[in-house]
């Protein structure tokens, strides 16, 4: 070994290893934590100059030292703490509150950890490590969901397609009509040997900008959402034995609904993309909170009494990606 190579290896604390004849493609991050293998001194005959080896034709591009030492990082925009889980650095949002246990949640922004005031930080770190498999799995699922949402982003133009109550609707610009001042009208055409074709005619010129088309369609969808949500609240409130007092539409990024003890209900207008059975589950979920303001077994028993298949509908709400606007 040349003096220069020996000095370089000593400088970074590396031990020379046996040459690798073929580099395998990089694997995705492993969910389980890996223990570092014990280092052993290679046999003298295995020590060769890297420059003497010819790289195979399909070898990966060489990595810089910084690239080889820098793990993948998943960072919450409001991260205040971070930890290494397997091969992944997870920077998470950490808050304290009036809780009895440490809570974990994974959303579009990343991992959030909430803990009681009295739990010391070393115990928080230990709990995060113990939960590492679940955390990495959920973070990977959320990243994949984000890619699906991005792929389904609507390009607002004549002929674009969106979901309304679980069915595909084609948007058509129709400058000839104002549609009674509401700006749009849903029409259906029954085709032979085909399902019904639904078209949303929007009273805009063909030269309308994408933002104009989006705003006109959103306004129509929000009107339909307000009408349908009100109807379903009135339908299910007697079955849950509660009274609701006020409905508001929300545009929350991660919450489909909420309920207040004063009878106020907030529902995300984007629920109108889902079929009615899923909407009914969310409506019953929020009405049930007017009886039980938590997610205890008693709460889920209240939901189940009205919507027996709520678990399946809840899964669809989580799994089905609605388009980004």
């Amino acid at each position: 070994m040349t003096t220069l190579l020996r000095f370089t290896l000593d400088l970074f604390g590396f031990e020379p290893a046996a040459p690798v004849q073929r580099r395998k493609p990089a694997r995705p991050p492993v969910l389980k934590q890996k223990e570092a293998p014990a280092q052993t001194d290679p046999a003298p005959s295995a020590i060769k100059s890297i420059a003497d080896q010819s790289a195979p034709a399909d070898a990966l591009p060489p990595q810089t030292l910084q690239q080889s030492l820098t793990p993948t990082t998943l960072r919450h925009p409001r991260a205040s703490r971070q930890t290494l889980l397997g091969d992944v650095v997870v920077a998470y949002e950490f808050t304290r509150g009036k809780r009895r246990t440490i809570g974990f949640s994974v959303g579009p922004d990343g991992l959030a950890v909430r803990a009681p005031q009295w739990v010391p930080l070393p115990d928080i770190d230990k709990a995060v490590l113990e939960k590492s498999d679940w955390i990495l799995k959920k973070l990977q699922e959320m990243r994949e969901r984000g890619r699906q949402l991005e792929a389904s982003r609507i390009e607002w133009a004549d002929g674009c397609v969106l979901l309304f109550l679980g069915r595909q609707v084609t948007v058509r610009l129709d400058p000839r009509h104002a549609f009674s001042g509401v700006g749009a009208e849903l029409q259906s055409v029954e085709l032979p040997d085909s399902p019904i074709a639904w078209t949303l005619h929007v009273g805009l010129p063909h030269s309308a900008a994408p933002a104009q088309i989006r705003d006109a369609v959103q306004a129509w969808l929000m009107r339909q959402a307000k009408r349908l949500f009100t109807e379903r609240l009135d339908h299910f409130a007697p079955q849950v034995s509660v009274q609701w007092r006020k409905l508001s539409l929300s545009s929350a990024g991660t919450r489909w609904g909420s309920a207040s003890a004063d009878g106020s209900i907030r529902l995300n207008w984007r629920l109108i993309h889902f079929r009615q059975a899923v909407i009914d589950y969310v409506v019953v979920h929020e009405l049930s909170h007017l009886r039980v303001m938590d997610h205890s077994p008693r709460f889920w028993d209240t939901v189940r009494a009205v919507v027996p298949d709520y678990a399946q509908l809840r899964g669809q709400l989580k799994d089905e990606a609605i388009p980004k606007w």
Side-chain angles (χ1 to χ4, degrees), residues 294-315:
D294 55 35
H295 288 108
S296 63
R298 178 167 163 256
F299 167 81
W300 291 114
D301 288 344
T302 303
V303 175
R304 185 183 297 106
V306 182
V307 184
D309 60 342
Y310 80 89
Q312 178 183 355
L313 298 170
R314 186 179 181 218

Side-chain angles (χ1 to χ4, degrees), residues 33-243:
Q33 285 186 274
K34 298 191 299 183
E35 296 182 357
Q39 294 186 349
T40 58
D41 292 331
S45 59
I47 302 176
K48 292 184 179 180
S49 172
I50 297 176
D52 294 337
Q53 301 181 35
S54 57
D58 59 348
L60 296 175
Q63 286 186 317
T64 64
L65 177 62
Q66 183 63 31
Q67 289 173 329
S68 65
L69 295 180
T70 303
T72 302
T73 300
L74 301 178
R75 180 174 296 277
H76 194 290
R78 296 183 297 278
S80 56
R81 292 183 63 78
Q82 70 178 35
T83 187
L84 180 65
L85 302 182
D87 295 331
V88 182
V89 173
V90 177
Y92 58 91
E93 179 187 26
F94 175 66
T95 56
R96 292 187 181 273
K98 295 181 179 179
R99 304 178 50 92
R100 289 178 294 178
T101 60
I102 301 172
F104 302 85
S105 62
V106 175
D109 288 336
L111 173 65
V113 179
R114 295 170 177 83
Q117 299 285 356
W118 50 268
V119 178
L121 290 177
D123 288 355
I124 303 295
D125 296 336
K126 180 180 178 182
V128 172
L129 288 174
E130 290 175 348
K131 202 78 171 178
S132 61
D133 285 3
W134 180 88
I135 291 171
L136 290 175
K137 178 183 177 181
K138 291 300 180 181
L139 287 172
Q140 290 179 347
E141 290 176 354
M142 195 58 63
R143 292 180 74 184
E144 178 59 30
R145 184 178 178 86
R147 284 191 288 266
Q148 293 175 358
L149 289 174
E150 192 61 36
S152 65
R153 184 186 291 273
I154 300 173
E155 300 293 336
W156 294 103
D158 183 53
C160 67
V161 178
L162 55 87
L163 287 177
F164 173 66
L165 293 178
R167 59 196 179 205
Q168 288 191 336
V169 174
T170 302
V171 174
R172 291 297 181 190
L173 303 184
D174 192 347
R176 299 170 300 171
H177 301 286
F179 301 110
S180 303
V182 298
E185 181 178 278
L186 185 66
Q187 300 178 5
S188 63
V189 177
E190 188 170 357
L191 303 175
D193 302 324
S194 298
I196 296 176
W198 294 91
T199 305
L200 181 64
H201 292 262
V202 182
L204 287 175
H206 291 285
S207 60
Q212 291 178 287
I213 302 172
R214 179 200 63 206
D215 292 347
V217 173
Q218 179 175 330
W220 183 84
L221 288 173
M222 292 181 74
R223 284 194 296 271
Q224 305 311 307
K226 188 71 174 285
R227 175 190 59 78
L228 180 63
F229 296 169
T230 301
E231 174 188 310
R232 305 314 289 168
L233 285 167
D234 286 339
H235 174 77
F236 285 112
Q239 299 181 45
V240 185
S241 301
V242 296
Q243 287 186 339

